[in-house]
C-alpha cells in the first residue's frame, strides 16, 4: 500500500479557503438539528448547495444525457480525451446529493486528469433502497462499454456514499463475470453500515457534518429499515472480498468521522493484493476535494490523483 504524506499547502487561494467546507457543513448541521419536521424534499435541497464550496472550473462545459436508462451530466473539459471516462457517483448518504451538486467537483477532477466524466443521478433512498444505486452504476458502465468505451478506460469514482458505490460497482461487475474498470477512486468513502469505526468517536468534535445519528437515518433508508443486512458486501464493501479489484485510490480528511472507513478499506485491499494508495490529509473535513479552486489542500489532492492516474 502506498500512503501519501499530508500535502503542504501551496501559494494561492490555499489555506485561506480551507474553512469553506467546515462553514457550509456547520450551517447545514444547524438547519438539520433545528428543523425536526424537515421533509425529504427540503433535506435534498439543502445538500444541493454542496457545489457552493467549489469554484467553477474554467474551460469545462456540461451536457445532460441519459445513459443505460440513468440520467446524468457530462463534464467535458476542453481538449479532454473522450475515450477516457470517469463514472462519477455522487455522495449524500444514498438519499441526497445529485449530479448538479457534484458537477463542478467532477469537472475539476476530469480536467486535471484530461478526461471526461459522467455524473449519475442514480435512484436514491429511501424510495429506492439498496441495491438500486449499484444497479444504476452497473447499467451506465455496461452502456458505456456498449458504446465502444473500453472497460479499462472507465474509472469508477465517487465521494462518501458515492465512494462506496465506486467500489461496489466493480464488485458487482465481478460477480456478473463482466470486465472491470481500469481504476477506482473514492473520496471519503462511507462503507460501514454498522458504524464501528473508531474515528466516529475520536473525531466527533472536529467533524462539522457527519454524526452517528445522521448516519443511522441514512442507513435506515438505504437498508430498507433493516430488511437488508448491514454486512451485505455490495452495501458494505468492508465485508466484501476485494481481491482482483483494479488499482484503488482512497482519501479522507484527518478531522472527519469517516476517516477510518478509508483506512480500514485500504488495509483490507492491501491484504487482498490490490494496488492501493491511501491519502489522509490533516485538518480536512468530509470530501475535502469539494474545495477545488478554493483551497490549496483540495487542489493539491486532485493534482496527486492526476499523477497517480497517469503513472
Amino acid at each position: 500500500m502506498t500512503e501519501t504524506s499530508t500535502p503542504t499547502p501551496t501559494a494561492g487561494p490555499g489555506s485561506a479557503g480551507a474553512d469553506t467546507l467546515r462553514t457550509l457543513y456547520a450551517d447545514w448541521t444547524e438547519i438539520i438539528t433545528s428543523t425536526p419536521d424537515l421533509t425529504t424534499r427540503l433535506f435534498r435541497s439543502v445538500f444541493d448547495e454542496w457545489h457552493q464550496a467549489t469554484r467553477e472550473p474554467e474551460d469545462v462545459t456540461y451536457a445532460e444525457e441519459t445513459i443505460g436508462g440513468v440520467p446524468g451530466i457530462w463534464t467535458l473539459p476542453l481538449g479532454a480525451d473522450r475515450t477516457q471516462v470517469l463514472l462519477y457517483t455522487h455522495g449524500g448518504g444514498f438519499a441526497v446529493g445529485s449530479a448538479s451538486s457534484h458537477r463542478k467537483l467532477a469537472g475539476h477532477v476530469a480536467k486535471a486528469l484530461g478526461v471526461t466524466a459522467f455524473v449519475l443521478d442514480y435512484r436514491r433512498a429511501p424510495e429506492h433502497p439498496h441495491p438500486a444505486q449499484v444497479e444504476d452504476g452497473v447499467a451506465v458502465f455496461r452502456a458505456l462499454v456498449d458504446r465502444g468505451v473500453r472497460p479499462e478506460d472507465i474509472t469508477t469514482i465517487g465521494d462518501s456514499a458515492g465512494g462506496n458505490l465506486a467500489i461496489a460497482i466493480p464488485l458487482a461487475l465481478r460477480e456478473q463475470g463482466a470486465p472491470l474498470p481500469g481504476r477506482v477512486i473514492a473520496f471519503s468513502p462511507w462503507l460501514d453500515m454498522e458504524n464501528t469505526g473508531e474515528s466516529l468517536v475520536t473525531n466527533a468534535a472536529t467533524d462539522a457534518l457527519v454524526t452517528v445519528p445522521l448516519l443511522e437515518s441514512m442507513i435506515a433508508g438505504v437498508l430498507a429499515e433493516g430488511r437488508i443486512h448491514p454486512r451485505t458486501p455490495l452495501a458494505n464493501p468492508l465485508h466484501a472480498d476485494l481481491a482482483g479489484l483494479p488499482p484503488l485510490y482512497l482519501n479522507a480528511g484527518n478531522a472527519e468521522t469517516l476517516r477510518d472507513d478509508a483506512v480500514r478499506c485500504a488495509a483490507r485491499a492491501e491484504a487482498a493484493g490490490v494496488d492501493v494508495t491511501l491519502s489522509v490529509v490533516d485538518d480536512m473535513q468530509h470530501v475535502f476535494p469539494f474545495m477545488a479552486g478554493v483551497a490549496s489542500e483540495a487542489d493539491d489532492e486532485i493534482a496527486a490523483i492526476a499523477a497517480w492516474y497517469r503513472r
Side-chain angles (χ1 to χ4, degrees), residues 15-303:
S15 292
D19 280 338
T20 301
L21 207 56
R22 188 190 305 271
T23 301
L24 181 64
Y25 287 169
D27 184 48
W28 290 356
T29 298
E30 173 62 26
I31 293 171
I32 293 167
T33 56
S34 65
T35 314
D37 57 348
L38 189 66
T39 65
T40 298
R41 181 173 178 273
L42 291 177
F43 192 35
R44 287 173 175 165
S45 70
V46 168
F47 276 79
D48 271 341
E49 296 178 350
W50 229 334
H51 70 91
Q52 292 181 3
T54 315
R55 180 169 293 168
E56 188 74 62
E58 296 180 3
D59 298 321
V60 177
T61 59
Y62 304 94
E64 295 184 9
E65 190 177 0
T66 297
I67 300 176
V70 182
I73 298 175
W74 280 104
T75 74
L76 304 167
L78 183 67
D81 180 353
R82 297 201 177 198
T83 69
Q84 305 271 329
V85 179
L86 304 179
L87 193 163
Y88 197 106
T89 43
H90 68 78
F94 305 101
V96 300
S98 66
S100 293
S101 67
H102 283 64
R103 65 169 180 83
K104 291 197 287 185
L105 172 56
H108 275 281
V109 178
K111 180 179 177 181
L113 273 54
V115 303
T116 64
F118 184 71
V119 191
L120 283 62
D121 265 322
Y122 55 78
R123 289 171 291 170
R124 295 180 292 190
E127 302 94 326
H128 304 283
H130 178 82
Q133 300 77 27
V134 180
E135 291 171 347
D136 285 354
V138 168
V140 174
F141 183 92
R142 287 184 172 276
L144 289 171
V145 173
D146 288 344
R147 290 183 176 197
V149 181
R150 298 189 308 167
E152 60 267 32
D153 290 336
I154 301 173
T155 297
T156 55
I157 175 174
D159 63 280
S160 194
N164 178 314
L165 295 173
I167 297 168
I169 290 165
L171 293 173
L173 289 164
R174 187 187 64 188
E175 284 187 0
Q176 298 168 13
L180 302 186
R183 303 169 188 81
V184 178
I185 302 169
F187 299 153
S188 296
W190 174 39
L191 307 171
D192 185 2
M193 297 294 109
E194 296 181 300
N195 290 334
T196 61
E198 182 180 349
S199 56
L200 287 171
V201 177
T202 59
N203 286 355
T206 55
D207 192 309
L209 175 65
V210 181
T211 64
V212 170
L214 178 63
L215 293 176
E216 287 175 343
S217 68
M218 299 294 196
I219 289 168
V222 74
L223 297 187
E225 301 292 342
R227 293 192 295 276
I228 298 168
H229 198 282
R231 293 189 180 184
T232 301
L234 292 184
N236 183 347
L238 290 179
H239 291 277
D241 176 6
L242 302 180
L245 279 185
L248 171 63
Y249 190 104
L250 298 160
N251 74 16
N254 207 30
E256 66 168 304
T257 55
L258 291 177
R259 178 198 63 202
D260 285 357
D261 280 26
V263 172
R264 288 182 291 168
C265 183
R268 295 183 186 195
E270 182 184 31
V274 177
D275 176 357
V276 58
T277 297
L278 172 66
S279 172
V280 179
V281 180
D282 281 350
D283 300 322
M284 290 293 102
Q285 292 287 314
H286 186 53
V287 198
F288 70 91
F290 253 116
M291 297 183 293
V294 176
S296 63
E297 293 88 344
D299 293 337
D300 289 346
E301 179 68 8
I302 292 172

